[in-house]
């Protein structure tokens, strides 16, 4: 197997609050290959967004990527870089941001500066990473705007964000992210704020662009339907940890973790008995402060066993490419976390 | 945009009419008319007054007319630069205003400049160094600044200056220059007298502005577009000034006119305490001596300037912030 | 024109990390999620020590203003021969006496400056007693009595010294608190009524009414307040009794001061009308009555209380400024502003600095209101973290 593009090992992002340490991301391991789309799915509060932002080191105090976390990025030019070790606001980190890895955010309205023309906002990234030549940079920008399917790039270039619709703004965000041809695109719920038809267009667009540009996409969402459409591989997060990971077909057809199973049961199905009630997962996601050492899903799990309250299960492969963190499927205990 | 400006101008015209009505009311409000007060005062001093002259004055100022007509008379006079006659000074009000207005406007403009020059750097520092010792210090000083009425601060500074340094802080010129024509020596003497009054008047505005800027900037710094810029690979310093600072300062700069009412208010009262040659003490004397035309004209002229200032800053705001134009 | 976001003041002192309940304690979590709005507000508010302290302090000050006659040992206008005596120090134990006491003093003429001077006579302790008889007054305006909180049986006690006419500054300060504190409260309530009525009309009816009210607000806000206040108060008839003057001044302050409140009310009203939960209530078929009282009022009241708290100091300072310029409250009524008139002359203040004691009260009051308002503002939005 080739060296992975991105390899995350034991990523821990903690928020140091007055009330204690909030372990938003608590030991995540991931690998991504070039050209692959990895979908991360989880409820709000599962730490998926914090995880994605940690990759870009976009964590503000009191949050912190803890020592011992590794985020290895295999750039085109030689040695892999450990993003977690780079000095904040250093040249090396800034060379990665926007150039090797780009990111699009959930809120297309507030993610763009309201007082700058959208074209200038894209141009800024191009000038930073691709060329210093203004004319060339402008051409690249216009090309990027065209690529995301905006009919009149010249006009869009000169607009302000409030003059554009939500869908167009998200296309602009994508254009901005892609203008510098990144190897990895992190999309943090980019379609959540959009209506379903626009959502579908944006997903199609991203998938097409991934094929054109040969990049990888890390796609964060809480929407199982979206994952099914776009992802090759899926990782399910719960309370800062990955509880199950497999390719997209396996996740939907043969989910092993009780949490994944209940997530799937909570999707309404076309053709289901109309009287059948949707199943909800009991309880709420607790706030991960001072969690005891035990299975984090034990409280809400239907199949809870005595050992679930004594030790924490490890994430172990149970099948080819299918790993799960549950004592129902293996007996390995996680140590040292 | 042009449409916006025209609408603003129409609105300003209405405002000015309202302002003139209010000013006229302040002229008319005092019980009795100023003429009888004036005549009584003269009689007390033992002056002989010709009844014909009084009648003449009455007709000249239209005192026997109904109030509405008096108002129109007064406004027509205003438009021709006739602000009426000051009885305590026995001079046309326009002359008195002309003497005091340069200092009034000069001090106000300097106050606004100083307010921004102090508030913007401190506001940015406090927001970017939230909860640092200096931030707490500025916050605390800011609270004091907001709580301390300017006249009291003037009083306390005068007290401290007099008691511990043997200085007298009043006035804009040392006694030896008063009444002298303007010269370099007088000018530099004036410069030496300016900082304290200006700092006093700007204090509460500065404190308020720091507070607003700090709050807004703290909000802006956490907005998603900052992360977008960061994710592009911009340097922290560059992105701070290019995005959140610009967005937070925009409205502050362009709503400069909104500061004017409070600056004028502060200036009037500080001028009275520190005896500065602005319209403040003039207004005070006029009110105490029932010199109604003078008092009303000062209220009118001060409101006039704030209204114009507000108009200018509204237009400025529409120019710098594309969102405003859409909303209007 | 809605009050722009950036102009809305926000807190900055004592902001702390969110109040997350102890996660291991099930009942604590339960309590957190079912607590009423005001319980949450109170819980958050208590975390702001400065604001809590300020609130308590203001409560004490208001109470002492209400019971000022009881606290003041002497009548406000009572003149004595003791002109400009310095504040007396209270002693508990001294060589000559044990128990709460001050020392008597004697007056002499300074041979050089020819001024009256006072010399403390340490051999003559004057015991300070509680609940002594003094000048007659009516407690709360109804109960006639002559019992005062403290006083001396012979001699005099001037804890804050005396003024030019030999009047007790301590008594004067507490009586002055009455007007200074209540003019702020009443003035804000009045402008609140005007503001809510006009702001409500503007927000509710929209259209032309809205435009007219908005322009009126803009107009009020664009006039420099102090000169107009001065002009209007100077026009109050000189023969009016001081109670009438008090109401006149309050009315003037609030007539010019309602603009801010009205703008806030209107802005908040429009904002709330668009809130999703209001739409949800409308869609669910709730009556307007229910929406207003069940959804709008709770969301609104906390916000208004904060704004009102923060606008009280402005009123207090306005009255002080007017009275300081002798355009406001007239004798025999006293406010902090009229007391400060005595401090207008720097030379006098330099000699008798205790004349600035009223200023200390003024600053403390205004600071306390600002801290309190700030703490409240942080607390009223219970779920914002």
């Amino acid at each position: 197997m080739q060296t992975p593009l991105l390899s995350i090992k034991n990523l821990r992002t903690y928020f140091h609050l007055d009330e204690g340490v909030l372990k938003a991301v608590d030991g995540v391991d991931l690998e991504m290959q070039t050209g692959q789309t990895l979908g991360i799915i989880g409820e709000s509060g599962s730490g998926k967004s914090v995880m994605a932002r940690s990759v870009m080191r976009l964590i503000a105090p009191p949050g912190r990527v803890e020592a011992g976390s590794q985020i290895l990025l295999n750039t085109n030019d030689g040695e892999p870089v450990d993003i977690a070790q780079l000095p904040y606001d250093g040249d090396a980190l800034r060379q990665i941001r926007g150039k090797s890895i780009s990111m699009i955010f959930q809120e297309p309205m507030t993610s763009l500066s309201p007082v700058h023309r959208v074209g200038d906002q894209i141009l800024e990234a191009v000038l930073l990473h691709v060329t210093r030549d203004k004319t060339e940079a402008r051409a690249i920008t216009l090309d990027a705007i065209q690529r995301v399917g905006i009919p009149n790039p010249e006009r869009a270039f000169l607009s302000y964000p409030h003059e554009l619709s939500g869908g167009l703004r998200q296309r602009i965000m994508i254009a901005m992210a892609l203008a510098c041809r990144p190897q990895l695109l992190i999309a943090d719920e980019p379609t959540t704020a959009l209506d379903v038809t626009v959502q579908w267009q944006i997903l199609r667009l991203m998938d097409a662009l991934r094929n054109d540009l040969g990049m990888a996409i890390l796609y964060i969402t809480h929407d199982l339907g979206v994952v099914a459409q776009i992802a090759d591989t899926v990782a399910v997060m719960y309370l800062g940890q990955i509880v199950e990971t497999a390719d997209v077909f396996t996740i939907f057809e043969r989910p092993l973790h009780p949490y994944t199973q209940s997530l799937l049961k909570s999707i309404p199905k076309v053709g289901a008995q109309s009287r059948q009630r949707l199943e909800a997962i009991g309880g709420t996601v607790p706030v991960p402060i001072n969690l005891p050492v035990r299975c984090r899903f034990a409280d809400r799990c239907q199949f809870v066993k005595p050992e679930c309250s004594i030790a924490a299960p490890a994430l172990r492969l149970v099948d080819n490419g299918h790993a799960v963190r549950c004592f129902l499927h293996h007996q390995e205990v996680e140590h040292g976390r | 945009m042009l449409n916006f400006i025209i609408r603003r101008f129409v609105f300003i015209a209405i405002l000015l009419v309202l302002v003139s009505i209010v000013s006229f009311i302040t002229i008319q409000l005092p019980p009795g008319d100023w003429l009888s007060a004036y005549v009584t005062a003269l009689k007390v001093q033992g002056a002989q007054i010709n009844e014909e002259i009084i009648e003449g004055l009455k007709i000249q100022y239209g005192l026997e007319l109904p109030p509405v007509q008096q108002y129109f008379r007064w406004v027509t006079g205003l438009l021709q630069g006739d602000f009426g006659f000051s009885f305590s000074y026995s001079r046309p009000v326009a002359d008195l205003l002309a003497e005091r207005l340069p200092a009034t406007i000069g001090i106000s403009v300097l106050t606004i400049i100083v307010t921004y020059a102090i508030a913007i750097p401190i506001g940015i520092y406090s927001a970017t160094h939230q909860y640092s010792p200096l931030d707490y210090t500025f916050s605390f000083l800011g609270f004091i600044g907001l709580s301390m009425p300017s006249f009291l601060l003037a009083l306390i500074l005068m007290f401290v200056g007099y008691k511990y340094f043997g200085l007298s802080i009043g006035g804009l010129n040392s006694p030896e220059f008063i009444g002298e024509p303007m010269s370099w020596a007088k000018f530099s003497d004036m410069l030496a007298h300016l900082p304290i009054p200006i700092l006093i008047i700007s204090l509460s505005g500065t404190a308020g502005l720091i507070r607003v800027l700090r709050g807004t900037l703290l909000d802006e710094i956490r907005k998603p577009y900052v992360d977008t810029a960061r994710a592009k690979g911009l340097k922290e310093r560059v992105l701070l000034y290019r995005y959140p600072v610009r967005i937070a300062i925009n409205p502050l700069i362009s709503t400069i006119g909104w500061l004017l009412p409070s600056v004028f208010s502060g200036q009037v009262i500080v001028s009275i305490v520190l005896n500065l040659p602005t319209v403040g003490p003039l207004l005070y004397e006029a009110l105490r001596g029932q010199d109604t035309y003078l008092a009303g004209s000062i209220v009118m002229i001060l409101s006039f300037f704030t209204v114009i200032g507000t108009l200018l800053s509204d237009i400025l705001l529409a120019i710098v912030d594309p969102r405003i134009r859409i909303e209007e | 024109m809605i009050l722009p976001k950036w102009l809305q003041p926000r807190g900055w002192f004592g902001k702390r990390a969110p109040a997350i309940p102890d996660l291991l304690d099930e009942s604590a979590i339960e309590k957190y999620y079912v607590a009423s709005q005001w319980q949450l507000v109170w819980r958050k508010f208590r975390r702001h020590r400065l604001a809590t302290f300020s609130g308590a302090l203001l409560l004490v000050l208001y109470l002492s203003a209400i019971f000022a006659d009881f606290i003041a040992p002497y009548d406000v206008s009572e003149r004595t021969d003791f002109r400009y005596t310095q504040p007396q120090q209270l002693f508990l134990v001294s060589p000559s006496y044990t128990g709460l006491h001050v020392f008597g003093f004697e007056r002499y003429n300074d041979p050089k400056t020819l001024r009256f001077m006072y010399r403390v006579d340490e051999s003559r302790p004057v015991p300070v007693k509680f609940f002594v008889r003094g000048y007659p007054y009516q407690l709360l305006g109804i109960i006639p009595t002559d019992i005062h909180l403290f006083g001396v049986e012979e001699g005099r006690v001037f804890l804050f010294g005396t003024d030019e006419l030999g009047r007790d500054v301590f008594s004067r300060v507490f009586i002055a608190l009455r007007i200074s504190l209540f003019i702020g409260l009443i003035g804000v309530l009045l402008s609140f009524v005007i503001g809510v009525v006009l702001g409500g009309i503007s927000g509710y009816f929209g259209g032309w009414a809205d435009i007219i009210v908005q322009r009126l607000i803009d107009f009020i806000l664009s006039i420099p307040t102090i000169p107009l206040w001065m002009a209007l108060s100077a026009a109050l008839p000189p023969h009016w009794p001081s109670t009438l003057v008090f109401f006149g001044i309050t009315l003037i302050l609030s007539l010019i001061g309602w603009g801010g409140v009205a703008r806030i009310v209107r802005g908040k009203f429009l904002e709330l009308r668009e809130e999703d939960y209001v739409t949800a209530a409308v869609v669910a078929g709730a009556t307007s009555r229910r929406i207003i009282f069940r959804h709008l009022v709770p969301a609104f009241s906390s916000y208004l209380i904060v704004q009102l708290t923060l606008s009280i100091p402005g009123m207090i300072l306005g009255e002080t400024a007017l009275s300081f310029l002798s355009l406001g409250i007239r004798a025999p009524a006293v406010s902090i502003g009229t007391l400060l008139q005595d401090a207008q002359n720097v030379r006098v203040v330099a000699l008798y600095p205790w004349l600035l004691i009223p200023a200390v009260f003024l600053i403390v009051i205004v600071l306390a209101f600002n801290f309190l308002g700030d703490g409240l503002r942080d607390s009223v939005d219970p779920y914002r973290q």
Side-chain angles (χ1 to χ4, degrees), chain B residues 18 24 33 35 42 46 57 97-98 102 125 135-136 139 152-153 168 188 192 202 219 222 233 236 257 265 277 308 316:
Chain B
L18 282 177
F24 185 72
D33 61 66
L35 192 61
L42 285 182
L57 281 172
L97 287 181
Y125 179 90
D135 175 35
Y136 275 119
S139 302
L152 197 57
L153 183 67
S168 72
S188 60
S202 62
D219 270 11
R222 298 187 185 122
E236 288 291 311
S265 280
I308 297 293
L316 199 62

mmCIF file of all heavy atoms in Angstrom, chain B residues 18 24 33 35 42 46 57 97-98 102 125 135-136 139 152-153 168 188 192 202 219 222 233 236 257 265 277 308 316:
data_model
loop_
_atom_site.group_PDB
_atom_site.id
_atom_site.type_symbol
_atom_site.label_atom_id
_atom_site.label_comp_id
_atom_site.label_asym_id
_atom_site.label_seq_id
_atom_site.Cartn_x
_atom_site.Cartn_y
_atom_site.Cartn_z
ATOM 1 N N LEU B 18 -37.039 70.970 13.242
ATOM 2 C CA LEU B 18 -37.358 70.557 14.618
ATOM 3 C C LEU B 18 -36.428 71.238 15.614
ATOM 4 O O LEU B 18 -36.849 71.737 16.651
ATOM 5 C CB LEU B 18 -37.245 69.034 14.743
ATOM 6 C CG LEU B 18 -38.403 68.224 14.187
ATOM 7 C CD1 LEU B 18 -38.125 66.740 14.321
ATOM 8 C CD2 LEU B 18 -39.680 68.576 14.935
ATOM 9 N N PHE B 24 -36.398 77.663 19.707
ATOM 10 C CA PHE B 24 -37.303 78.801 19.872
ATOM 11 C C PHE B 24 -38.123 78.649 21.151
ATOM 12 O O PHE B 24 -38.351 79.617 21.878
ATOM 13 C CB PHE B 24 -38.238 78.916 18.663
ATOM 14 C CG PHE B 24 -39.116 80.124 18.713
ATOM 15 C CD1 PHE B 24 -38.570 81.385 18.509
ATOM 16 C CD2 PHE B 24 -40.465 80.009 18.988
ATOM 17 C CE1 PHE B 24 -39.373 82.509 18.572
ATOM 18 C CE2 PHE B 24 -41.267 81.133 19.053
ATOM 19 C CZ PHE B 24 -40.719 82.389 18.844
ATOM 20 N N ASP B 33 -41.402 88.122 29.225
ATOM 21 C CA ASP B 33 -40.480 88.158 28.099
ATOM 22 C C ASP B 33 -39.211 88.862 28.523
ATOM 23 O O ASP B 33 -39.140 89.527 29.558
ATOM 24 C CB ASP B 33 -41.141 88.828 26.887
ATOM 25 C CG ASP B 33 -41.541 90.249 27.188
ATOM 26 O OD1 ASP B 33 -40.657 91.078 27.410
ATOM 27 O OD2 ASP B 33 -42.771 90.506 27.219
ATOM 28 N N LEU B 35 -37.774 91.297 27.425
ATOM 29 C CA LEU B 35 -37.738 92.756 27.374
ATOM 30 C C LEU B 35 -38.128 93.341 28.733
ATOM 31 O O LEU B 35 -37.443 94.211 29.264
ATOM 32 C CB LEU B 35 -38.687 93.251 26.284
ATOM 33 C CG LEU B 35 -38.521 94.730 25.954
ATOM 34 C CD1 LEU B 35 -37.113 95.006 25.441
ATOM 35 C CD2 LEU B 35 -39.547 95.152 24.918
ATOM 36 N N LEU B 42 -32.767 97.352 34.101
ATOM 37 C CA LEU B 42 -32.246 98.693 33.863
ATOM 38 C C LEU B 42 -32.773 99.680 34.903
ATOM 39 O O LEU B 42 -32.054 100.533 35.409
ATOM 40 C CB LEU B 42 -32.628 99.178 32.455
ATOM 41 C CG LEU B 42 -31.834 98.550 31.311
ATOM 42 C CD1 LEU B 42 -32.272 99.152 29.990
ATOM 43 C CD2 LEU B 42 -30.340 98.748 31.515
ATOM 44 N N GLY B 46 -31.202 102.120 37.914
ATOM 45 C CA GLY B 46 -31.454 103.542 37.992
ATOM 46 C C GLY B 46 -31.474 104.258 36.652
ATOM 47 O O GLY B 46 -31.434 105.468 36.588
ATOM 48 N N LEU B 57 -38.621 98.629 20.542
ATOM 49 C CA LEU B 57 -37.990 97.309 20.655
ATOM 50 C C LEU B 57 -39.037 96.215 20.495
ATOM 51 O O LEU B 57 -38.808 95.206 19.836
ATOM 52 C CB LEU B 57 -37.299 97.172 22.005
ATOM 53 C CG LEU B 57 -35.929 97.856 22.119
ATOM 54 C CD1 LEU B 57 -35.433 97.814 23.549
ATOM 55 C CD2 LEU B 57 -34.917 97.200 21.178
ATOM 56 N N LEU B 97 -21.321 84.900 19.019
ATOM 57 C CA LEU B 97 -21.098 83.531 18.546
ATOM 58 C C LEU B 97 -19.821 83.457 17.717
ATOM 59 O O LEU B 97 -19.011 82.547 17.871
ATOM 60 C CB LEU B 97 -22.291 83.065 17.706
ATOM 61 C CG LEU B 97 -23.570 82.754 18.472
ATOM 62 C CD1 LEU B 97 -24.651 82.287 17.514
ATOM 63 C CD2 LEU B 97 -23.313 81.685 19.523
ATOM 64 N N ALA B 98 -19.644 84.442 16.848
ATOM 65 C CA ALA B 98 -18.482 84.432 15.976
ATOM 66 C C ALA B 98 -17.193 84.435 16.783
ATOM 67 O O ALA B 98 -16.191 83.824 16.401
ATOM 68 C CB ALA B 98 -18.519 85.639 15.039
ATOM 69 N N PRO B 102 -14.975 79.551 16.965
ATOM 70 C CA PRO B 102 -13.733 78.876 16.580
ATOM 71 C C PRO B 102 -13.166 78.004 17.691
ATOM 72 O O PRO B 102 -12.833 76.834 17.455
ATOM 73 C CB PRO B 102 -12.799 80.032 16.247
ATOM 74 C CG PRO B 102 -13.690 81.154 15.868
ATOM 75 C CD PRO B 102 -14.924 80.991 16.687
ATOM 76 N N TYR B 125 -5.791 46.394 21.501
ATOM 77 C CA TYR B 125 -4.922 45.675 22.427
ATOM 78 C C TYR B 125 -5.753 44.843 23.400
ATOM 79 O O TYR B 125 -5.495 43.666 23.605
ATOM 80 C CB TYR B 125 -4.028 46.653 23.205
ATOM 81 C CG TYR B 125 -3.128 45.943 24.182
ATOM 82 C CD1 TYR B 125 -1.860 45.520 23.793
ATOM 83 C CD2 TYR B 125 -3.565 45.648 25.473
ATOM 84 C CE1 TYR B 125 -1.055 44.823 24.678
ATOM 85 C CE2 TYR B 125 -2.767 44.956 26.362
ATOM 86 C CZ TYR B 125 -1.516 44.548 25.953
ATOM 87 O OH TYR B 125 -0.720 43.845 26.816
ATOM 88 N N ASP B 135 -5.200 44.489 30.060
ATOM 89 C CA ASP B 135 -6.607 44.525 29.670
ATOM 90 C C ASP B 135 -7.464 44.849 30.884
ATOM 91 O O ASP B 135 -8.352 45.695 30.833
ATOM 92 C CB ASP B 135 -7.008 43.176 29.063
ATOM 93 C CG ASP B 135 -8.499 43.102 28.746
ATOM 94 O OD1 ASP B 135 -9.052 44.148 28.360
ATOM 95 O OD2 ASP B 135 -9.086 42.028 28.880
ATOM 96 N N TYR B 136 -7.179 44.190 32.005
ATOM 97 C CA TYR B 136 -7.924 44.472 33.224
ATOM 98 C C TYR B 136 -7.730 45.912 33.662
ATOM 99 O O TYR B 136 -8.678 46.586 34.073
ATOM 100 C CB TYR B 136 -7.494 43.524 34.351
ATOM 101 C CG TYR B 136 -8.232 42.216 34.318
ATOM 102 C CD1 TYR B 136 -7.573 41.015 34.160
ATOM 103 C CD2 TYR B 136 -9.621 42.190 34.443
ATOM 104 C CE1 TYR B 136 -8.261 39.814 34.123
ATOM 105 C CE2 TYR B 136 -10.322 41.000 34.408
ATOM 106 C CZ TYR B 136 -9.635 39.815 34.243
ATOM 107 O OH TYR B 136 -10.327 38.635 34.201
ATOM 108 N N SER B 139 -9.713 48.100 31.430
ATOM 109 C CA SER B 139 -11.131 47.928 31.709
ATOM 110 C C SER B 139 -11.510 48.703 32.951
ATOM 111 O O SER B 139 -12.532 49.376 32.998
ATOM 112 C CB SER B 139 -11.466 46.455 31.930
ATOM 113 O OG SER B 139 -11.100 45.717 30.819
ATOM 114 N N LEU B 152 -16.720 66.904 37.236
ATOM 115 C CA LEU B 152 -16.105 66.507 38.495
ATOM 116 C C LEU B 152 -14.619 66.256 38.288
ATOM 117 O O LEU B 152 -13.777 66.644 39.105
ATOM 118 C CB LEU B 152 -16.797 65.246 39.001
ATOM 119 C CG LEU B 152 -16.569 64.934 40.463
ATOM 120 C CD1 LEU B 152 -17.008 66.104 41.319
ATOM 121 C CD2 LEU B 152 -17.349 63.692 40.843
ATOM 122 N N LEU B 153 -14.303 65.607 37.186
ATOM 123 C CA LEU B 153 -12.896 65.352 36.890
ATOM 124 C C LEU B 153 -12.160 66.687 36.750
ATOM 125 O O LEU B 153 -11.046 66.858 37.270
ATOM 126 C CB LEU B 153 -12.777 64.548 35.598
ATOM 127 C CG LEU B 153 -11.357 64.163 35.230
ATOM 128 C CD1 LEU B 153 -10.805 63.180 36.249
ATOM 129 C CD2 LEU B 153 -11.297 63.553 33.845
ATOM 130 N N SER B 168 -2.774 76.841 38.123
ATOM 131 C CA SER B 168 -4.202 77.043 37.912
ATOM 132 C C SER B 168 -4.523 76.520 36.521
ATOM 133 O O SER B 168 -3.912 76.910 35.539
ATOM 134 C CB SER B 168 -4.562 78.518 38.042
ATOM 135 O OG SER B 168 -4.080 79.224 36.939
ATOM 136 N N SER B 188 1.574 79.368 21.652
ATOM 137 C CA SER B 188 2.218 78.249 22.349
ATOM 138 C C SER B 188 1.713 78.166 23.782
ATOM 139 O O SER B 188 1.591 77.066 24.341
ATOM 140 C CB SER B 188 3.751 78.391 22.311
ATOM 141 O OG SER B 188 4.126 79.578 22.941
ATOM 142 N N ALA B 192 -0.139 74.820 25.464
ATOM 143 C CA ALA B 192 0.196 74.242 26.761
ATOM 144 C C ALA B 192 -1.058 74.090 27.625
ATOM 145 O O ALA B 192 -1.129 73.206 28.467
ATOM 146 C CB ALA B 192 1.223 75.116 27.475
ATOM 147 N N SER B 202 -12.630 64.308 26.552
ATOM 148 C CA SER B 202 -12.644 63.070 25.763
ATOM 149 C C SER B 202 -12.769 61.834 26.642
ATOM 150 O O SER B 202 -13.021 60.754 26.138
ATOM 151 C CB SER B 202 -11.398 62.975 24.891
ATOM 152 O OG SER B 202 -10.257 62.924 25.695
ATOM 153 N N ASP B 219 -16.071 39.836 19.453
ATOM 154 C CA ASP B 219 -17.071 39.099 18.680
ATOM 155 C C ASP B 219 -16.547 38.763 17.297
ATOM 156 O O ASP B 219 -16.680 37.637 16.820
ATOM 157 C CB ASP B 219 -18.332 39.948 18.506
ATOM 158 C CG ASP B 219 -19.310 39.717 19.629
ATOM 159 O OD1 ASP B 219 -18.911 39.072 20.614
ATOM 160 O OD2 ASP B 219 -20.445 40.186 19.514
ATOM 161 N N ARG B 222 -14.015 35.974 16.719
ATOM 162 C CA ARG B 222 -14.507 34.594 16.784
ATOM 163 C C ARG B 222 -15.397 34.235 15.610
ATOM 164 O O ARG B 222 -15.941 33.144 15.555
ATOM 165 C CB ARG B 222 -15.283 34.399 18.087
ATOM 166 C CG ARG B 222 -14.366 34.608 19.263
ATOM 167 C CD ARG B 222 -15.024 34.254 20.561
ATOM 168 N NE ARG B 222 -14.123 34.601 21.640
ATOM 169 C CZ ARG B 222 -14.421 35.439 22.615
ATOM 170 N NH1 ARG B 222 -15.608 35.970 22.672
ATOM 171 N NH2 ARG B 222 -13.546 35.718 23.544
ATOM 172 N N GLY B 233 -3.979 30.620 5.102
ATOM 173 C CA GLY B 233 -2.552 30.702 5.344
ATOM 174 C C GLY B 233 -2.051 32.117 5.579
ATOM 175 O O GLY B 233 -0.871 32.392 5.425
ATOM 176 N N GLU B 236 -1.156 35.787 11.252
ATOM 177 C CA GLU B 236 -2.091 36.248 12.270
ATOM 178 C C GLU B 236 -2.254 37.768 12.254
ATOM 179 O O GLU B 236 -3.353 38.300 12.255
ATOM 180 C CB GLU B 236 -1.624 35.812 13.668
ATOM 181 C CG GLU B 236 -1.786 34.335 13.928
ATOM 182 C CD GLU B 236 -3.240 33.910 14.029
ATOM 183 O OE1 GLU B 236 -4.002 34.554 14.766
ATOM 184 O OE2 GLU B 236 -3.626 32.932 13.353
ATOM 185 N N GLY B 257 -19.929 61.118 13.855
ATOM 186 C CA GLY B 257 -20.903 62.165 14.107
ATOM 187 C C GLY B 257 -21.735 61.896 15.346
ATOM 188 O O GLY B 257 -22.214 62.815 16.001
ATOM 189 N N SER B 265 -21.935 68.301 24.755
ATOM 190 C CA SER B 265 -22.436 68.337 26.123
ATOM 191 C C SER B 265 -21.290 68.462 27.111
ATOM 192 O O SER B 265 -21.294 69.313 27.985
ATOM 193 C CB SER B 265 -23.214 67.062 26.436
ATOM 194 O OG SER B 265 -24.491 67.146 25.907
ATOM 195 N N PRO B 277 -12.817 79.703 26.738
ATOM 196 C CA PRO B 277 -13.523 80.691 25.918
ATOM 197 C C PRO B 277 -14.372 80.062 24.818
ATOM 198 O O PRO B 277 -14.223 80.376 23.642
ATOM 199 C CB PRO B 277 -12.386 81.508 25.312
ATOM 200 C CG PRO B 277 -11.252 80.551 25.245
ATOM 201 C CD PRO B 277 -11.386 79.643 26.422
ATOM 202 N N ILE B 308 -25.544 68.150 11.439
ATOM 203 C CA ILE B 308 -24.719 68.069 10.240
ATOM 204 C C ILE B 308 -23.680 66.959 10.380
ATOM 205 O O ILE B 308 -23.441 66.178 9.445
ATOM 206 C CB ILE B 308 -24.001 69.420 10.006
ATOM 207 C CG1 ILE B 308 -25.024 70.528 9.767
ATOM 208 C CG2 ILE B 308 -23.026 69.322 8.842
ATOM 209 C CD1 ILE B 308 -25.803 70.379 8.492
ATOM 210 N N LEU B 316 -20.758 58.652 5.251
ATOM 211 C CA LEU B 316 -19.465 57.970 5.329
ATOM 212 C C LEU B 316 -19.674 56.478 5.563
ATOM 213 O O LEU B 316 -19.040 55.632 4.936
ATOM 214 C CB LEU B 316 -18.671 58.587 6.479
ATOM 215 C CG LEU B 316 -17.174 58.372 6.482
ATOM 216 C CD1 LEU B 316 -16.581 59.007 5.237
ATOM 217 C CD2 LEU B 316 -16.554 58.972 7.728
#
